[in-house]
């Protein structure tokens, strides 16, 4: 009889933990994921800053690997997250003009690391989730449209021919 009560209590505690963790996850601020059209519609407009979180070397044209072009989207500023480091990011943000007053559209090669950084800006650094956007697909999505360009013009394509 006592074993049944302990098992029942364990199940109830498990369910409570599951419900609470689900609620916390659903209640935490979410960063909006945007697409190429959003980027095109907002880049260069007042109050919006397109932020390339990749290294300065990649931003300036070096391919980070096979099939991934180097270079940046026109109008982007470079905030090399790996070079700066997570702990130094708040001070570097403040010093770079990437303030909480503007809407930041972050991108990287595929959107994964810039998306994680976008979530960190909201959840750890207090940025308004309405003012931080993550460009889904990032450079890999951008280059799918043959009319989209990366700069500098002589950037590495990442293709071996």
């Amino acid at each position: 009889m006592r074993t049944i009560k302990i098992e029942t209590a364990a199940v109830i505690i498990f369910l409570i933990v599951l419900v609470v963790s689900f609620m916390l996850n659903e209640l935490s601020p979410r960063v909006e994921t945007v697409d190429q059209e959003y980027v095109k519609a907002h880049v260069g407009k007042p109050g919006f800053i397109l932020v390339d979180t990749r290294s300065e070397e990649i931003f300036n044209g070096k391919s980070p690997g096979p099939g991934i072009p180097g270079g940046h989207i026109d109008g982007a500023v470079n905030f090399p997250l790996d070079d700066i480091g997570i702990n130094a990011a708040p001070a570097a943000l403040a010093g770079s003009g990437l303030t909480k007053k503007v809407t930041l559209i972050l991108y990287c090669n595929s959107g994964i690391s810039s998306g994680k950084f976008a979530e960190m800006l909201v959840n750890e650094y207090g940025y308004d989730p309405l003012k931080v956007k993550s460009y889904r697909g990032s450079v890999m999505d951008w280059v799918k449209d043959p009319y989209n360009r990366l700069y500098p013009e002589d950037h590495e394509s990442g293709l071996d021919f």
Side-chain angles (χ1 to χ4, degrees), residues 33-151:
T33 302
V34 298
D35 60 13
Q36 187 179 124
E37 295 309 312
Y38 182 92
V39 173
K40 288 178 179 178
H42 293 88
V43 70
K45 288 194 173 179
F48 290 86
I49 299 177
L50 182 61
V51 182
D52 186 323
T53 62
R54 301 169 307 154
S55 73
E56 184 177 353
E57 187 176 59
I58 295 169
F59 181 84
N60 288 326
K62 182 172 176 34
S63 170
I68 305 171
H72 59 274
I73 299 171
D74 194 28
V77 298
N78 190 216
F79 188 78
L81 192 56
D82 287 343
D83 297 347
I84 293 166
I86 297 298
N87 294 334
L93 284 167
S96 68
L98 304 178
T99 69
K100 295 179 181 182
K101 295 179 182 179
V102 296
T103 298
L104 304 176
I105 306 168
L106 294 107
Y107 77 92
C108 58
N109 291 323
S110 66
I112 295 172
S113 62
S114 60
K116 288 178 184 175
F117 184 58
E119 292 287 340
M120 185 180 295
L121 288 175
V122 169
N123 295 319
E124 295 182 29
Y125 299 140
Y127 278 68
D128 181 345
L130 298 175
K131 292 198 169 273
V132 179
K133 313 291 182 192
S134 176
Y135 175 19
R136 175 185 51 240
S138 293
V139 167
M140 296 305 294
D141 178 65
W142 186 258
V143 298
K144 287 179 182 176
D145 181 337
Y147 294 104
N148 289 345
R149 305 192 64 85
L150 291 175
Y151 296 88

Side-chain angles (χ1 to χ4, degrees), residues 16 19 28 30 46 73 121 139:
I16 290 171
V19 168
S28 66
R30 297 277 182 198
I73 299 171
L121 288 175
V139 167

Side-chain angles (χ1 to χ4, degrees), residues 8-24:
T8 303
V11 168
I12 291 171
I13 290 170
F14 173 76
L15 290 174
I16 290 171
V17 168
L18 188 65
V19 168
V20 168
S21 64
F22 175 77
M23 289 174 56
L24 288 174

